[in-house]
Amino acid sequence: MRHKLAFDEAEAMLTARFAAFLLEPKSEATRKEDIALGLELLAATSKAAAGLAAAAQWRLWAARAREGREPRAGFVQAVAGVIDAVRESPLTGDPARDWSFVKRLLRDSGDQELLTAAKNLDYLVAFNRGRRINAELGAIWGRDGCYTDARETLDMALAQDQILGGVDDPPGVQVMTIHKSKGKQFDGVFVIREGRHNGQRCVSSFVWWDDEPPYWPAEQEDSARRHHKG
């Protein structure tokens, strides 16, 4: 059955800017600046509380790299290795192949943060963003013979996609939370009710339309279980 996956779209788009940066032309002379910029772009993708401290550290490493003092930290070396690999490898001019090449380098790095970045890039395809990105990147390659200003081109492609508001969204089932579905104006919605049997009746964490009082929310069940054990 065809379906669509709802995910953290903002994080995936920020990661896509890092991938676009990797595709942009680079030289050995700008290597330190490229490493610094790569670290800063990755730091921008960290939104969770656990990632904020790491992002702050990445920005510190970026400042050191920009000063010509490349940190020897494993993460910095992994990022530098990916940047060097893309710079030294001839790109094909086929955006889909070159995008896949970047994802493969991120996975092959063995670094967990870069593996997560590769997964976020996969999500863009799941969110039906890949076609428009490929078209725009292909246009600048046809013009310049390289991916000049790929980040700016990516931003424009994503902005255009958001303006169109999913006109070309594929048919099928779209799986998302109730919060994510607000304002979508779907023709039909299936709400999956979480529930289980407590040995006496079916209980759930929210009240269903035909439930009869007294209701039995999940927290009440947990309280009863603790009382029984006591």
Side-chain angles (χ1 to χ4, degrees):
M1 179 181 293
R2 298 186 68 177
H3 66 281
K4 188 173 182 181
L5 175 67
F7 62 98
D8 191 335
E9 185 180 1
E11 184 175 355
M13 289 182 178
L14 289 170
T15 305
R17 298 197 82 246
F18 172 66
F21 156 75
L22 292 175
L23 292 175
E24 291 173 352
K26 295 178 179 61
S27 68
E28 179 64 33
T30 61
R31 184 174 183 273
K32 294 292 192 298
E33 175 62 28
D34 291 337
I35 292 172
L37 186 51
L39 290 169
E40 289 170 344
L41 288 169
L42 285 169
T45 68
S46 298
K47 296 171 56 181
L52 294 179
Q57 180 62 68
W58 298 349
R59 291 188 178 94
L60 287 175
W61 286 335
R64 293 177 189 173
R66 191 167 276 119
E67 293 169 356
R69 300 181 293 121
E70 180 180 333
R72 304 308 301 172
F75 177 66
V76 177
Q77 293 306 304
V79 172
V82 171
I83 291 174
D84 291 341
V86 177
R87 187 185 69 246
E88 296 166 2
S89 301
L91 299 175
T92 67
D94 180 337
R97 291 180 60 185
D98 293 334
W99 194 266
S100 295
F101 172 63
V102 166
K103 290 196 295 184
R104 185 167 65 252
L105 288 176
L106 293 173
R107 292 191 181 98
D108 292 347
S109 70
D111 182 88
Q112 187 58 49
E113 298 291 348
L114 297 185
L115 289 172
T116 299
K119 184 183 298 184
N120 284 334
L121 297 179
D122 287 335
Y123 286 154
L124 277 181
V125 177
F127 209 71
N128 200 33
R129 304 294 194 196
R131 182 170 56 189
R132 189 163 286 112
I133 293 172
N134 286 346
E136 297 296 336
L137 289 176
I140 61 173
W141 182 280
R143 183 193 67 199
D144 299 338
C146 60
Y147 295 113
T148 311
D149 299 324
R151 278 169 290 160
E152 181 179 348
T153 301
L154 174 78
D155 292 341
M156 292 175 61
L158 293 176
Q160 182 183 11
D161 191 83
Q162 290 178 335
I163 290 172
L164 291 177
V167 170
D168 56 353
D169 280 351
V173 177
Q174 300 186 31
V175 182
M176 60 185 66
T177 64
I178 292 176
H179 177 75
K180 185 73 174 180
S181 69
K182 289 180 180 178
K184 300 295 185 183
Q185 299 185 352
F186 293 117
D187 293 332
V189 176
F190 293 90
V191 179
I192 308 301
R193 183 191 191 189
E194 173 272 333
R196 59 197 179 282
H197 205 279
N198 67 355
Q200 297 179 345
R201 56 181 292 186
C202 181
V203 296
S204 176
S205 57
F206 64 93
V207 178
W208 204 242
W209 70 274
D210 60 350
D211 285 350
E212 296 182 358
Y215 304 119
W216 190 282
E219 58 266 25
Q220 185 174 347
E221 181 196 9
D222 293 339
S223 176
R225 185 184 298 112
R226 289 193 298 270
H227 177 74
H228 178 73
K229 288 182 178 178

